[in-house]
Amino acid sequence: WTHYLHGASNNAVAMDSRVAPPSHLKWKSDPTWCRSHDGESSSVALVLSAEGRLISVIDEGLTGQPGVPDRWTLVGRDAFNGTLLWKRKLPKRPEQKGVVAVGERVYVAVGKGMPLEVVEAATGKAIKDVEGTEGADELVIEGDTIVAHCAGGQQGDGAIVAVSAENGRLLWHKTSAFMKNSLAASDGRVCYHDGKEVICLDLLAGDLAWRAECKAGKDVGLLMIYRGAVLVSGGGLKAFDASTGEFLWKGPGVNKRLSLFGCDGLAWVTDIQEPGRTFLWTPAPVVTKGYNPKTGDVERTVEVSCLVTPGHHIRCYPAKATERYLLLPKRGVEFVDLEGDTHMRHDWFRGSCRHGVMPANGLLYVPPHQCFCYTGVKLTGFNAMSAAAIEQAETPATDRLVRGPAYGS
């Protein structure tokens, strides 16, 4: 899970067959509490995973005092046992799409007017700054190419910039208007929304491939590249051919928190007919439909009754998914099984505001949250949950000491 929305294509779906409704706690770590329900919107802004490590952006400011200055920190942990590896102070809270972890490196958009900073994933030590990315606030990495939006100052628009991740060489630079959180890349293309149109560029050369009119209002919603289509959720789902920009089809409105996912060859849209703030047990079914991304035809429908608990709004963060399950954020985490009938409601854990939970490495990572619901069973701390107990490997009876060439010298 290398980007805020899993990968550069903005499809927040983990290719993980072991993540399922959890029943075991694998490990637990700090922070025990979020800073406050009021004031700061989230104490855990981002959780990523790469090469067996967990990279998080956490506000370590004083708990219970939202007026006290924040203390944003980049934190590295072992993804499988939670062991703290390192911490690195950040000058400010980066955008959620402003940090990417790929391989042995973490790329951080550290602040206004500053270039991308490259950090060693194993130690948290700075490696270098990436020249030509000053003002970067949003980035994706596709293959060996870093694509970043660099915000302009008061004098004009910002720019879309591509550089080589291997040597930092500037590949291309395009001045353009830009809508926040719309940058995506896949299959040799870079797509984003400029407020009026969806723009598609060649990933390596920066040449214009196509542009298509697409009204978005104040919020583009989600721009996702999946199976040869560019899907835009803001103002009603719209699909464009990823190669030509041809308008393909228009679909239903997409709830921003229930999101849009590409799973098993289909684009899935979920609807919860929630009654609002009521404690009456009048649950409506959860209905999720799988649309063919090129034609818009509904090819599959999954309907689950009594999955969500009434009495609260949908949580303040986007849903996530695996190839098998949608992880909805209604009361806690509601698992919608796209392949079978092992649907499950977990009211007793949920993620931090704005970020939510993250499925990866066969585990469900659940940061602390600000809510005071279900206090009798509320899980505190940063938890890694598993669907089944993970058996420890047996210790061999033979000598476990490995003797290197310097042994005995």
Side-chain angles (χ1 to χ4, degrees):
W1 199 284
T2 57
H3 295 62
Y4 169 54
L5 296 175
H6 181 259
S9 67
N10 289 345
N11 185 25
V13 178
M15 307 294 111
D16 195 318
S17 60
R18 296 186 64 180
V19 174
S23 57
H24 292 76
L25 176 66
K26 176 62 176 174
W27 57 260
K28 185 183 187 76
S29 74
D30 294 333
T32 303
W33 308 98
C34 287
R35 289 193 60 190
S36 174
H37 184 278
D38 304 312
E40 293 295 332
S41 59
S42 182
S43 292
V44 182
L46 184 65
V47 182
L48 306 174
S49 181
E51 298 297 325
R53 302 182 187 95
L54 211 62
I55 308 298
S56 304
V57 177
I58 298 175
D59 181 3
E60 296 189 327
L62 189 62
T63 300
Q65 300 294 330
V68 174
D70 51 24
R71 192 171 66 195
W72 289 99
T73 308
L74 192 65
V75 181
R77 289 187 179 274
D78 186 290
F80 296 99
N81 60 29
T83 299
L84 178 65
L85 303 176
W86 51 266
K87 291 185 179 184
R88 182 177 181 83
K89 185 178 179 180
L90 297 172
K92 62 184 287 291
R93 181 180 67 187
E95 297 291 338
Q96 288 178 302
K97 294 195 70 176
V99 182
V100 173
V102 176
E104 297 296 327
R105 294 184 172 186
V106 182
Y107 300 82
V108 187
V110 292
K112 185 176 181 180
M114 301 174 67
L116 281 176
E117 184 178 59
V118 184
V119 174
E120 189 175 45
T123 65
K125 296 180 180 179
I127 298 175
K128 63 179 180 180
D129 292 340
V130 182
E131 295 184 8
T133 62
E134 287 76 13
D137 57 7
E138 187 169 325
L139 68 146
V140 296
I141 298 180
E142 175 72 1
D144 183 45
T145 304
I146 305 169
V147 182
H149 170 256
C150 299
Q154 298 179 354
Q155 305 304 317
D157 291 331
I160 308 298
V161 175
V163 297
S164 168
E166 181 178 358
N167 56 34
R169 179 173 62 90
L170 179 66
L171 302 177
W172 49 265
H173 176 286
K174 298 287 184 181
T175 301
S176 176
F178 178 79
M179 289 197 75
K180 183 178 178 180
N181 295 328
S182 68
L183 188 62
S186 181
D187 301 325
R189 304 178 185 89
V190 176
C191 295
Y192 64 94
H193 203 295
D194 71 353
K196 297 179 180 179
E197 298 175 307
V198 175
I199 311 295
C200 181
L201 307 176
D202 181 84
L203 176 65
L204 297 180
D207 297 332
L208 178 67
W210 53 263
R211 59 197 313 147
E213 183 179 356
C214 180
K215 296 181 180 180
K218 295 182 179 180
D219 189 349
V220 70
L222 176 69
L223 189 153
M224 180 178 80
I225 306 173
Y226 182 69
R227 295 293 181 98
V230 177
L231 301 151
V232 183
S233 67
L237 182 58
K238 294 171 283 291
F240 303 86
D241 187 283
S243 298
T244 66
E246 177 189 359
F247 177 75
L248 298 176
W249 54 277
K250 182 176 176 60
V254 177
N255 185 301
K256 187 175 181 179
R257 295 173 185 174
L258 298 180
S259 201
L260 166 70
F261 300 101
C263 299
D264 196 23
L266 301 177
W268 293 89
V269 178
T270 301
D271 184 32
I272 297 177
Q273 297 294 333
E274 56 175 346
R277 291 182 178 272
T278 176
F279 292 95
L280 299 177
W281 182 251
T282 55
V286 172
V287 179
T288 183
K289 296 181 179 181
Y291 295 81
N292 184 303
K294 298 300 286 287
T295 67
D297 296 334
V298 178
E299 297 189 0
R300 289 177 58 193
T301 299
V302 177
E303 183 171 325
V304 188
S305 61
C306 300
L307 180 65
V308 299
T309 303
H312 197 280
H313 60 75
I314 298 171
R315 297 292 166 184
C316 304
Y317 52 79
K320 305 290 175 27
T322 69
E323 276 289 308
R324 176 169 179 173
Y325 293 98
L326 303 185
L327 280 59
L328 305 183
K330 179 56 171 67
R331 173 70 75 173
V333 179
E334 291 81 17
F335 284 76
V336 178
D337 190 349
L338 300 179
E339 298 180 4
D341 59 359
T342 58
H343 316 290
M344 181 62 68
R345 177 176 68 247
H346 284 277
D347 287 346
W348 43 276
F349 64 79
R350 62 188 63 90
S352 301
C353 293
R354 296 186 68 237
H355 180 269
V357 300
M358 190 266 281
N361 307 312
L363 301 170
L364 183 65
Y365 297 99
V366 185
H369 63 85
Q370 294 91 332
C371 300
F372 201 64
C373 309
Y374 290 91
T375 53
V377 292
K378 171 178 175 173
L379 292 180
T380 58
F382 196 131
N383 299 277
M385 318 291 292
S386 66
I390 300 175
E391 299 293 334
Q392 298 294 327
E394 293 187 6
T395 302
T398 56
D399 187 2
R400 296 160 56 197
L401 177 63
V402 177
R403 296 170 174 83
Y407 181 80
S409 61

